[in-house]
């Protein structure tokens, strides 16, 4: 019983650390998330942080995994309300781009920051596979033998749009037009 309580307390400290890192990153960007600032925010010493996570990259990777769980959930929800295959693509695109815009630091942890999370291998964590599966389902009606490639192309196109939008490199007035053109290219 004592051991399970200790395990629960340790898990709670880990969640506190990850939550604090995410809050700091969303408020100030990932460059502001240091072990010193994080230790101050959670009111634990830096050695306690290191007893839970090897380094800041490990904390960011844990944040990224949470983000993929959240992304997979909203993408599945978007798919469930689709009226047609093209509508599914459009809903996935809008949901993905909205997620990136609403959670820029989380998106950075998932896709921009260097991480040891693997994509497209047997070692790919379940949350990443779940997010990819939503894209895979949406592209299935339009894919032939190159289904995997089409799915990756759709996802990478959206990633490019999200990243360029976040960096204020694209004109906001064309947001919906870009989505429509992308969907037209896939569905033709």
């Amino acid at each position: 019983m004592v051991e399970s309580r200790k395990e629960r307390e340790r898990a709670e400290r880990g969640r506190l650390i990850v939550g604090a890192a995410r809050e700091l990153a969303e408020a100030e960007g990932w460059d502001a998330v240091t072990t010193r600032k994080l230790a101050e925010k959670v009111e634990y010493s830096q050695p306690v942080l290191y007893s839970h996570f090897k380094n800041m990259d490990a904390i960011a990777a844990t944040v990224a995994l949470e983000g993929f769980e959240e992304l997979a959930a909203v993408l599945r929800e978007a798919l469930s309300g689709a009226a047609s295959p093209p509508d599914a693509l459009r809903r996935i695109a809008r949901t993905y781009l909205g997620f990136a815009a609403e959670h820029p630091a989380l998106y950075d942890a998932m896709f921009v920051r260097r991480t040891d999370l693997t994509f497209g291998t047997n070692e790919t964590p379940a949350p990443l596979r779940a997010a990819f599966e939503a894209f895979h389902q949406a592209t299935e009606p339009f894919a032939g033998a190159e289904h995997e490639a089409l799915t990756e192309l759709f996802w990478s196109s959206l990633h490019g749009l999200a990243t360029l939008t976040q960096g204020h490199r694209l004109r906001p007035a064309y947001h919906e037009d870009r989505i429509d053109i992308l969907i037209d290219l896939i569905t033709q």
Side-chain angles (χ1 to χ4, degrees):
M1 185 165 196
V2 171
E3 196 164 315
S4 64
R5 187 196 72 196
K6 285 182 180 182
E7 289 172 6
R8 284 192 311 271
E9 289 172 352
R10 179 174 174 70
E12 181 56 36
R13 274 194 309 272
R15 284 190 294 276
L16 179 67
I17 292 165
V18 169
R22 191 170 167 173
E23 285 177 25
L24 276 172
E26 289 294 352
E28 303 175 38
W30 279 103
D31 289 340
V33 183
T34 63
T35 53
R36 182 186 57 75
K37 273 189 172 179
L38 201 48
E40 289 172 7
K41 185 164 180 65
V42 297
E43 298 177 342
Y44 286 110
S45 67
Q46 288 183 15
V48 170
L49 268 63
Y50 288 122
S51 74
H52 286 274
F53 298 96
K54 183 171 72 173
N55 53 34
M56 284 304 302
D57 289 341
I59 294 170
T62 303
V63 169
L65 283 173
E66 284 184 359
F68 279 107
E69 288 173 357
E70 293 171 25
L71 177 61
V74 297
L75 292 176
R76 279 192 301 270
E77 185 179 325
L79 276 176
S80 71
S84 66
D87 184 47
L89 288 174
R90 188 167 278 102
R91 290 173 64 88
I92 288 285
R94 286 186 179 131
T95 299
Y96 182 87
L97 294 172
F99 182 90
E102 291 169 24
H103 310 286
L106 179 59
Y107 189 84
D108 282 350
M110 295 164 65
F111 293 108
V112 179
R113 284 183 57 90
R114 184 175 201 78
T115 179
D116 61 357
L117 297 174
T118 57
F119 287 80
T121 71
N122 291 335
E123 291 80 37
T124 301
L128 282 68
R129 286 193 313 269
F132 184 80
E133 181 56 30
F135 286 97
H136 203 252
Q137 284 180 296
T139 58
E140 188 171 23
F142 310 102
E146 301 299 327
H147 189 190
E148 297 289 320
L150 178 62
T151 303
E152 288 179 352
L153 182 61
F154 181 49
W155 193 345
S156 61
S157 297
L158 293 174
H159 171 69
L161 289 173
T163 303
L164 291 169
T165 299
Q166 190 173 355
H168 306 288
R169 304 291 196 295
L170 298 175
R171 293 176 280 185
Y174 296 110
H175 179 75
E176 286 298 318
D177 292 338
R178 287 188 291 270
I179 292 172
D180 290 342
I181 291 168
L182 178 59
I183 302 311
D184 287 347
L185 288 170
I186 292 172
T187 59
Q188 292 179 4

